[in-house]
Amino acid sequence: LAAAVAAGKVRVPTHVVSSICDDRGEEPTYAGVSMSELMEREYGVGDVIALLWFKRHLPKYATKFIEMCVMLCADHGPCVSGAHNTIVTSRAGKDVVSSLVAGLLTIGPRFGGAIDDAARLFKAACDADDSPADFVEGLKRRGVRVSGIGHRIKSKDNRDKRVALLQEYARKFFPSTRYLDYAVAVEAYTLQKAPNLVLNVDGAIAAIFLDLLAASGAFSPAEAEQIVNIGYLNALFVVARSIGLVGHALDQRRLQQPLYRHPWEDVLYTS
Amino acid sequence: LAAAVAAGKVRVPTHVVSSICDDRGEEPTYAGVSMSELMEREYGVGDVIALLWFKRHLPKYATKFIEMCVMLCADHGPCVSGAHNTIVTSRAGKDVVSSLVAGLLTIGPRFGGAIDDAARLFKAACDADDSPADFVEGLKRRGVRVSGIGHRIKSKDNRDKRVALLQEYARKFFPSTRYLDYAVAVEAYTLQKAPNLVLNVDGAIAAIFLDLLAASGAFSPAEAEQIVNIGYLNALFVVARSIGLVGHALDQRRLQQPLYRHPWEDVLYTS
Amino acid sequence: LAAAVAAGKVRVPTHVVSSICDDRGEEPTYAGVSMSELMEREYGVGDVIALLWFKRHLPKYATKFIEMCVMLCADHGPCVSGAHNTIVTSRAGKDVVSSLVAGLLTIGPRFGGAIDDAARLFKAACDADDSPADFVEGLKRRGVRVSGIGHRIKSKDNRDKRVALLQEYARKFFPSTRYLDYAVAVEAYTLQKAPNLVLNVDGAIAAIFLDLLAASGAFSPAEAEQIVNIGYLNALFVVARSIGLVGHALDQRRLQQPLYRHPWEDVLYTS
Amino acid sequence: LAAAVAAGKVRVPTHVVSSICDDRGEEPTYAGVSMSELMEREYGVGDVIALLWFKRHLPKYATKFIEMCVMLCADHGPCVSGAHNTIVTSRAGKDVVSSLVAGLLTIGPRFGGAIDDAARLFKAACDADDSPADFVEGLKRRGVRVSGIGHRIKSKDNRDKRVALLQEYARKFFPSTRYLDYAVAVEAYTLQKAPNLVLNVDGAIAAIFLDLLAASGAFSPAEAEQIVNIGYLNALFVVARSIGLVGHALDQRRLQQPLYRHPWEDVLYTS
Ligand SMILES: CC(C)(COP(=O)(O)OP(=O)(O)OC[C@H]1O[C@@H](n2cnc3c(N)ncnc32)[C@H](O)[C@@H]1OP(=O)(O)O)[C@@H](O)C(=O)NCCC(=O)NCCS
Ligand SMILES: CC(C)(COP(=O)(O)OP(=O)(O)OC[C@H]1O[C@@H](n2cnc3c(N)ncnc32)[C@H](O)[C@@H]1OP(=O)(O)O)[C@@H](O)C(=O)NCCC(=O)NCCS
Ligand SMILES: CC(C)(COP(=O)(O)OP(=O)(O)OC[C@H]1O[C@@H](n2cnc3c(N)ncnc32)[C@H](O)[C@@H]1OP(=O)(O)O)[C@@H](O)C(=O)NCCC(=O)NCCS
Ligand SMILES: CC(C)(COP(=O)(O)OP(=O)(O)OC[C@H]1O[C@@H](n2cnc3c(N)ncnc32)[C@H](O)[C@@H]1OP(=O)(O)O)[C@@H](O)C(=O)NCCC(=O)NCCS
């Protein structure tokens, strides 16, 4: 900002600084790319996310991977916290935005929010060349769970199909899968401890995204570091799940469901 | 529900009814389509929206149109209500979800929310074979503005590029553009009244979506009616703009912007 | 605003206009009343609401009534939509603000939001001297329910205690209970139709607030009209219930409840 | 819970556990106190907060102090993040709940959220008998600011009136002001460093609340510890400011303000 002032780009410091989209010209641009260009080059939703979040073009295999994450995380049924809150709000007769928002607000440490933490852990360990055993045992000593590892229902012999699909894609199209390989090595180690300590969707997205940041040639190491620190990756889940939550809000309206009231018998009134 | 009970599908009535996604089997399914199938058939984000919201497959030209809407509405700069609220919240040090949500809550009658109303008006008028003149003058008599018509800045000689791109696409790929043609005829009439009464993005999306509902063969007239009445179309804007709002939240973090305080001098303290 | 510009109070039109609180001087003031004055005069929460929402002093019996509404509506157990959403969000490990907000978003037409509508209906009917029978039957012909009348569980012989307490208070301290009397006459009529068509809390607050607006001498008829039209009264419920929702968010943390997942068996997966 | 199951209070474990309000009987109760009792005993809003959050009766001086906090924090003008977001949302034509919520979501580390942190710091230091100098310099070495100390505008010779009012009240009515005295001693030390390092409102509320927890006789040391750890005190600010935010939402409606758009000239479009 100081530089911009010095360069005469601004006279008085402005109150707002922004960098992702410019709406002042003939056409809005996303990181400098006009709407017409978006259409001509046959860009997709993944490219738009790349332009608005990372402010750069990413190779096709990378934007396809982003779209894959959006598609695979778009919904996971009506029972999870997010969908449940959206359903309750929609049944209270509230608008789609309010219903969506009530669901989004549940996303966090326990629901949908382990991707950034997994990325931070895998990056630090893999960059430091820690062995999977040292990595897992080190966390254990500090009383920290390995984000990206573990599942309530899935296990060694009953893998999460979404993880398999993501892995397959990365191995086929990515120039390097160093972080993914590391995550799989961690999984091999944790599976010796318990059969449900599989690499979960959050972990798979985290590891493959690290490979995208490291090997696509589009990011400097400092930029990759910054993205992982700020936490861009859970945001993928947030945007993805918005699609499903809106779907649930509209579904309840279509089904004309009445006001939800939790049954008294299912509550323990305690002190 | 009663039928389901009768059919023995449920014994006691359940407290929640849901129809878009089933998470009970090996893989979650969206309207019956498994994750593996999504990948094998090279489905995109548009197909996922079709499956989760409309619970059916739509032809490629239709899902591409849905993606085009998402892409063109993903952001419109930092000055609009939604982005502004997200920026203020992010600068208050709040997480990405809270920041996104504060922006989403501004979407409504005056910001981003004219698509459903435009669809309702265009559908009723076009189905009733009202002439554009009768349609516009009829609304005027009732003191109602034509949703989907009018723009602050754009005008006859300075069209909104996004509207042009959407129209072009529909004329090239859609089997019928009856509703779009009607909307353009309405525009021709309103442009005689004032040069800024152009067909705007909301109006273009509304009209083309009506063509999708009517001519894709995927919806019965009753289903099309229901979708327009319930109001699915603004939800496209909501999901699209989520991408931009998340972008703004992350942008402010990256730029390490401090707490926003509106300047005293810009406020009229009145009574 | 134009007048203010003309009067030289502002030179260029400001972008924000505000009237409830001035934070520019030594002490902030609420509608002109300083913090010190608030304390010296032994004002209460009801007076602060009067100053910030209605921008005037109200007599003691009126601000006590406002506090009574806040107290009686502060919570209604963990099963209602609002508390349920807050509980689910808190159990997802989210902060108190996010948990509160997820609950607040359920307040609307079906939960907590009938006070303004009841006030509009009672005011119009009572001002027009409609008989209770004409009023009720007129609404019935238009297919509209009488807001403020009816209860799921309470009935003629099992009245809602909160309604009784509010009525008692108004009869003891209010200079006039014309609107309350009218609401009770309406109840007498509807109770002939069905035993559960009692005056409910929303209806009682609405009627007594109309008496406050009409008979306190603090509002002109035009001001009373405006308050009822804009809809200030549901906001009383919103602020009141914030107390209870925050209580539920904190309660779940204290009880260290895990992530909520709605049971599969309680969901009908339909199409 | 396990105990409750064992005691036969529940047969199958229920899915929800709740402790603040029971709505199953004739009248709802707050921590066992019925609505009628609330009225008969002339309880106020402060008592309701005590019952629903702390689940116990507190002495009059304590509940009056809670009400004082609510009153003094109810609003602080239209320029702060929270009010600004609410104003923008209300001007977008959205309902009171959405507008309130958009404002509440800005409350956090930089706006309104320093009370709990201040309480944690003051409690730990005072309980350990750290001298103010050791306390302040210790934090400095760790690069941590003293929460509850410092103000943008106020200073040694221009104190915040609200802090003075709170102090005066505590000294007059509280059985002990040990923590407040400690906070004031800290202030005396920091004021030697810079004139704006005064005890701010957040700090004053934090210190006095610690006195309430320690000396009212209503809390065991373990309970006081738990309340400070979980973070109940910012919630006081949240409930208080709800009153002001609702006031701003209604104010904008009354003033019929149009859609807010931030001025282009005030934005630095950067990269
Ligand atoms: C997903 C998760 C909540 C499932 O947990 P769960 O099936 O309920 O497992 P439990 O909490 O019962 O744990 C069972 C044992 O495995 C251990 N364990 C579970 N997940 C672990 C992990 N990620 N790292 C290390 N140990 C783990 C537990 O400590 C426990 O060991 P113990 O019995 O010796 O105490 C859990 O694995 C987890 O927290 N993972 C990390 C966060 C994450 O990735 N979340 C995204 C989920 S999509
Ligand atoms: C978009 C919009 C707000 C721009 O409005 P604006 O440039 O500020 O225009 P103004 O409100 O100053 O209106 C100027 C004149 O045009 C008329 N007008 C504007 N939009 C009109 C419409 N959609 N239908 C009929 N008349 C319209 C106004 O009534 C006014 O006439 P008057 O001077 O005789 O009173 C407005 O056109 C509108 O409300 N459109 C409908 C809603 C919509 O589609 N919104 C989506 C926007 S992307
Ligand atoms: C509160 C309420 C939802 C309870 O309803 P309920 O016990 O579920 O009652 P039902 O919906 O089963 O209605 C039973 C019958 O009473 C009638 N009825 C219920 N409330 C009515 C009202 N407020 N006005 C007129 N008729 C009413 C219904 O139309 C129905 O008649 P029908 O059998 O001939 O169709 C309902 O009375 C209502 O909508 N009231 C108005 C809104 C209101 O005040 N809400 C605030 C609640 S605190
Ligand atoms: C309220 C606050 C943001 C005001 O800050 P400000 O006037 O903008 O002060 P600055 O950030 O310019 O700081 C000026 C100097 O005072 C120091 N300082 C400010 N607040 C301090 C604190 N609470 N503890 C220790 N040092 C502090 C700064 O480190 C800085 O020192 P430096 O110049 O050597 O780096 C700040 O005092 C603060 O962060 N306080 C703690 C959080 C808090 O209580 N917030 C509630 C506010 S109601």
Side-chain angles (χ1 to χ4, degrees):
Chain A
L1 178 55
V5 176
K9 262 167 71 184
V10 276
R11 269 184 306 182
V12 284
T14 55
H15 288 99
V16 175
V17 180
S18 179
S19 81
I20 71 172
C21 168
D22 195 330
D23 57 314
R24 291 170 304 176
E26 274 291 286
E27 300 184 51
T29 56
Y30 296 164
V33 176
S34 73
M35 298 298 105
S36 314
E37 218 180 318
L38 274 184
M39 294 301 125
E40 277 157 24
R41 299 213 192 171
E42 305 219 345
Y43 277 152
V45 173
D47 298 280
V48 166
I49 292 177
L51 291 169
L52 289 175
W53 295 10
F54 303 109
K55 301 191 299 160
R56 67 199 71 196
H57 296 272
L58 292 180
K60 199 78 198 160
Y61 72 81
T63 60
K64 277 275 164 213
F65 169 67
I66 291 176
E67 288 178 15
M68 224 174 132
C69 295
V70 171
M71 290 164 69
L72 295 178
C73 297
D75 202 51
H76 210 214
C79 293
V80 296
S81 302
H84 184 67
N85 262 12
T86 292
I87 287 171
V88 169
T89 311
S90 184
R91 287 175 57 167
K94 300 298 302 274
D95 58 280
V96 172
V97 172
S98 296
S99 305
L100 163 63
V101 159
L104 287 174
L105 287 164
T106 62
I107 299 177
R110 297 187 188 165
F111 169 60
I115 314 181
D116 282 315
D117 282 338
R120 286 180 201 120
L121 292 179
F122 289 153
K123 185 167 195 312
C126 184
D127 289 359
D129 273 328
D130 287 356
S131 78
D134 286 353
F135 169 58
V136 172
E137 299 305 332
L139 289 177
K140 189 169 185 169
R141 268 192 302 278
R142 288 161 44 206
V144 178
R145 289 189 168 195
V146 193
S147 295
I149 294 285
H151 202 283
R152 285 261 165 86
I153 297 156
K154 300 292 170 186
S155 70
K156 199 174 188 144
D157 308 310
N158 168 23
R159 297 297 180 90
D160 186 330
K161 191 74 194 170
R162 297 174 300 169
V163 174
L165 292 166
L166 288 164
Q167 283 208 45
E168 223 170 86
Y169 180 87
R171 297 206 188 284
K172 198 154 159 196
F173 297 109
F174 272 49
S176 156
T177 55
R178 196 166 82 89
Y179 290 99
L180 176 58
D181 296 341
Y182 186 77
V184 170
V186 170
E187 180 191 43
Y189 183 82
T190 54
L191 280 177
Q192 293 170 18
K193 308 190 117 200
N196 77 322
L197 293 185
V198 293
L199 181 65
N200 59 38
V201 193
D202 294 40
I205 293 178
I208 300 172
F209 219 102
L210 289 174
D211 284 316
L212 190 167
L213 291 172
S216 66
F219 300 91
S220 72
E223 287 174 332
E225 189 78 29
Q226 191 187 38
I227 285 165
V228 171
N229 286 344
I230 290 182
Y232 278 61
L233 307 186
N234 285 336
L236 272 183
F237 179 87
V238 171
V239 162
R241 191 52 56 90
S242 295
I243 296 173
L245 294 175
V246 164
H248 285 291
L250 295 168
D251 189 39
Q252 296 300 307
R253 287 198 175 200
R254 195 181 57 82
L255 296 167
Q256 296 185 289
Q257 292 297 295
L259 188 64
Y260 179 83
R261 217 189 171 287
H262 201 75
W264 270 332
E265 316 80 64
D266 191 44
V267 177
L268 172 64
Y269 288 83
T270 182
S271 62
Chain B
L1 179 53
V5 176
K9 264 168 64 184
V10 276
R11 268 185 307 182
V12 282
T14 57
H15 288 101
V16 174
V17 180
S18 179
S19 81
I20 71 171
C21 168
D22 195 330
D23 57 315
R24 292 169 302 176
E26 274 291 285
E27 300 184 52
T29 57
Y30 297 165
V33 177
S34 73
M35 297 297 105
S36 315
E37 216 181 320
L38 272 184
M39 294 301 125
E40 278 156 25
R41 297 212 193 174
E42 306 219 343
Y43 277 151
V45 174
D47 297 280
V48 167
I49 293 178
L51 291 169
L52 288 175
W53 296 9
F54 303 111
K55 301 192 299 163
R56 69 199 71 199
H57 295 272
L58 292 181
K60 198 77 198 160
Y61 71 82
T63 60
K64 277 274 166 213
F65 170 68
I66 289 176
E67 288 179 14
M68 222 173 136
C69 294
V70 171
M71 291 164 68
L72 295 178
C73 296
D75 201 51
H76 209 213
C79 294
V80 296
S81 303
H84 184 67
N85 262 13
T86 291
I87 288 171
V88 169
T89 310
S90 184
R91 288 175 56 168
K94 300 299 302 273
D95 58 279
V96 173
V97 172
S98 296
S99 305
L100 163 63
V101 159
L104 286 175
L105 286 164
T106 63
I107 298 177
R110 296 187 189 166
F111 170 60
I115 315 181
D116 282 316
D117 282 338
R120 285 179 200 121
L121 292 180
F122 289 153
K123 184 167 197 312
C126 185
D127 289 0
D129 274 330
D130 286 356
S131 77
D134 285 355
F135 169 56
V136 173
E137 299 305 332
L139 288 176
K140 188 169 186 169
R141 268 193 302 277
R142 286 161 46 205
V144 178
R145 287 187 171 197
V146 192
S147 295
I149 294 285
H151 203 282
R152 283 262 166 88
I153 296 156
K154 299 293 171 184
S155 71
K156 200 178 188 140
D157 307 311
N158 168 24
R159 297 299 180 89
D160 185 331
K161 191 74 196 172
R162 298 174 299 169
V163 174
L165 292 166
L166 288 163
Q167 281 208 46
E168 224 170 84
Y169 180 86
R171 295 205 190 287
K172 200 155 159 193
F173 297 108
F174 273 50
S176 156
T177 55
R178 196 166 81 89
Y179 289 100
L180 175 59
D181 298 340
Y182 186 77
V184 170
V186 169
E187 180 192 43
Y189 183 82
T190 55
L191 280 178
Q192 292 169 19
K193 305 189 120 201
N196 77 320
L197 293 185
V198 292
L199 182 65
N200 59 38
V201 193
D202 293 38
I205 292 176
I208 299 171
F209 220 101
L210 289 174
D211 284 316
L212 191 167
L213 292 172
S216 66
F219 299 91
S220 73
E223 287 174 331
E225 188 78 28
Q226 192 187 37
I227 285 165
V228 171
N229 286 344
I230 288 180
Y232 279 59
L233 308 185
N234 285 335
L236 272 182
F237 180 86
V238 171
V239 163
R241 191 51 57 92
S242 295
I243 296 174
L245 294 175
V246 164
H248 285 290
L250 295 168
D251 189 39
Q252 296 300 306
R253 286 198 175 201
R254 196 181 55 82
L255 296 167
Q256 296 185 288
Q257 292 296 296
L259 186 64
Y260 179 83
R261 214 187 173 286
H262 201 74
W264 270 334
E265 318 79 66
D266 191 44
V267 177
L268 172 64
Y269 288 83
T270 184
S271 62
Chain C
L1 180 54
V5 176
K9 264 167 66 183
V10 276
R11 269 187 306 184
V12 284
T14 56
H15 288 99
V16 174
V17 180
S18 179
S19 81
I20 71 172
C21 168
D22 196 329
D23 57 316
R24 291 169 304 175
E26 273 292 285
E27 300 184 53
T29 56
Y30 298 164
V33 177
S34 73
M35 297 298 104
S36 315
E37 216 181 320
L38 273 184
M39 294 301 125
E40 278 156 26
R41 298 211 193 174
E42 307 220 343
Y43 278 152
V45 174
D47 298 279
V48 167
I49 293 177
L51 291 169
L52 288 175
W53 297 8
F54 303 111
K55 301 192 299 164
R56 68 199 72 198
H57 296 272
L58 292 181
K60 199 78 198 161
Y61 70 83
T63 59
K64 277 274 166 213
F65 169 68
I66 290 176
E67 288 178 15
M68 221 174 136
C69 295
V70 170
M71 292 164 68
L72 295 178
C73 297
D75 202 50
H76 210 214
C79 295
V80 296
S81 303
H84 184 67
N85 263 12
T86 291
I87 288 170
V88 169
T89 310
S90 184
R91 288 175 58 168
K94 299 299 302 274
D95 59 280
V96 173
V97 172
S98 296
S99 305
L100 163 63
V101 159
L104 286 175
L105 286 164
T106 63
I107 299 177
R110 296 185 188 168
F111 169 60
I115 314 181
D116 282 316
D117 282 339
R120 286 180 200 120
L121 293 179
F122 289 154
K123 185 168 196 310
C126 185
D127 290 358
D129 274 329
D130 287 355
S131 77
D134 286 354
F135 169 57
V136 172
E137 301 303 332
L139 288 177
K140 190 170 184 166
R141 267 193 303 278
R142 287 162 43 206
V144 178
R145 287 185 171 199
V146 193
S147 295
I149 294 285
H151 203 283
R152 284 264 165 87
I153 297 155
K154 299 292 170 186
S155 70
K156 201 177 188 142
D157 308 310
N158 168 22
R159 296 299 179 92
D160 185 331
K161 192 72 196 170
R162 299 175 298 170
V163 174
L165 291 166
L166 288 163
Q167 282 207 45
E168 225 170 84
Y169 181 86
R171 295 204 191 286
K172 199 154 158 195
F173 297 109
F174 272 49
S176 157
T177 54
R178 197 167 80 89
Y179 290 100
L180 175 58
D181 297 340
Y182 186 77
V184 171
V186 169
E187 180 192 42
Y189 183 82
T190 55
L191 280 177
Q192 292 170 19
K193 307 190 119 199
N196 78 320
L197 293 185
V198 292
L199 182 65
N200 59 38
V201 195
D202 294 38
I205 293 177
I208 299 172
F209 220 101
L210 289 174
D211 284 317
L212 190 167
L213 291 172
S216 67
F219 300 91
S220 72
E223 288 173 331
E225 187 80 28
Q226 191 187 37
I227 285 165
V228 171
N229 286 344
I230 289 180
Y232 280 60
L233 308 184
N234 285 336
L236 271 182
F237 179 87
V238 171
V239 163
R241 191 52 57 94
S242 296
I243 296 173
L245 294 176
V246 164
H248 284 291
L250 295 168
D251 189 39
Q252 296 301 307
R253 287 198 174 199
R254 196 182 56 83
L255 296 166
Q256 296 185 285
Q257 292 297 295
L259 186 65
Y260 179 82
R261 216 189 170 287
H262 201 75
W264 270 333
E265 319 78 66
D266 191 43
V267 177
L268 172 65
Y269 288 84
T270 182
S271 61
Chain D
L1 179 53
V5 176
K9 264 168 68 185
V10 276
R11 269 184 306 183
V12 283
T14 56
H15 288 100
V16 175
V17 180
S18 178
S19 81
I20 71 172
C21 169
D22 195 329
D23 58 314
R24 292 170 303 177
E26 273 292 284
E27 299 184 52
T29 57
Y30 297 164
V33 176
S34 73
M35 297 298 106
S36 315
E37 218 181 319
L38 273 184
M39 294 301 125
E40 277 156 25
R41 299 214 192 171
E42 306 220 344
Y43 278 152
V45 173
D47 299 279
V48 167
I49 292 177
L51 292 169
L52 288 175
W53 297 9
F54 303 110
K55 302 193 297 159
R56 68 199 71 198
H57 295 271
L58 292 180
K60 199 76 198 162
Y61 71 82
T63 59
K64 277 276 166 210
F65 169 67
I66 290 176
E67 289 178 14
M68 223 175 133
C69 295
V70 171
M71 290 165 69
L72 295 178
C73 297
D75 202 50
H76 210 212
C79 294
V80 298
S81 302
H84 183 68
N85 262 13
T86 292
I87 288 171
V88 168
T89 311
S90 184
R91 287 175 57 167
K94 299 298 302 276
D95 57 281
V96 172
V97 172
S98 297
S99 305
L100 163 63
V101 159
L104 287 174
L105 287 165
T106 63
I107 298 176
R110 298 188 188 165
F111 170 60
I115 314 180
D116 283 315
D117 282 339
R120 286 181 200 120
L121 293 179
F122 290 152
K123 186 168 195 312
C126 185
D127 289 0
D129 274 328
D130 288 355
S131 76
D134 286 353
F135 169 57
V136 172
E137 299 306 331
L139 288 177
K140 189 170 184 167
R141 268 194 302 279
R142 286 161 46 206
V144 178
R145 290 187 169 195
V146 192
S147 296
I149 293 285
H151 202 282
R152 284 262 165 86
I153 296 156
K154 299 292 171 187
S155 71
K156 201 175 186 141
D157 308 311
N158 168 24
R159 297 298 180 91
D160 186 331
K161 193 72 197 169
R162 297 173 299 170
V163 174
L165 292 165
L166 288 163
Q167 282 208 46
E168 224 170 86
Y169 181 86
R171 296 205 189 286
K172 200 155 159 194
F173 297 109
F174 272 50
S176 156
T177 54
R178 196 166 81 90
Y179 290 100
L180 175 58
D181 297 341
Y182 186 77
V184 170
V186 170
E187 180 191 44
Y189 183 81
T190 54
L191 279 177
Q192 293 169 19
K193 308 189 118 200
N196 77 320
L197 293 185
V198 292
L199 182 65
N200 59 38
V201 194
D202 294 39
I205 293 177
I208 300 172
F209 220 100
L210 290 174
D211 284 317
L212 191 166
L213 291 172
S216 66
F219 301 91
S220 73
E223 287 173 333
E225 188 78 29
Q226 190 186 38
I227 285 165
V228 171
N229 286 344
I230 289 182
Y232 280 61
L233 308 186
N234 285 335
L236 271 182
F237 179 87
V238 171
V239 162
R241 191 53 54 92
S242 295
I243 296 174
L245 294 176
V246 164
H248 285 291
L250 295 168
D251 189 38
Q252 296 300 308
R253 286 197 175 200
R254 197 182 55 83
L255 296 166
Q256 296 185 287
Q257 292 296 297
L259 186 65
Y260 179 82
R261 215 187 173 285
H262 201 74
W264 271 333
E265 317 79 65
D266 192 43
V267 177
L268 172 64
Y269 288 84
T270 184
S271 61

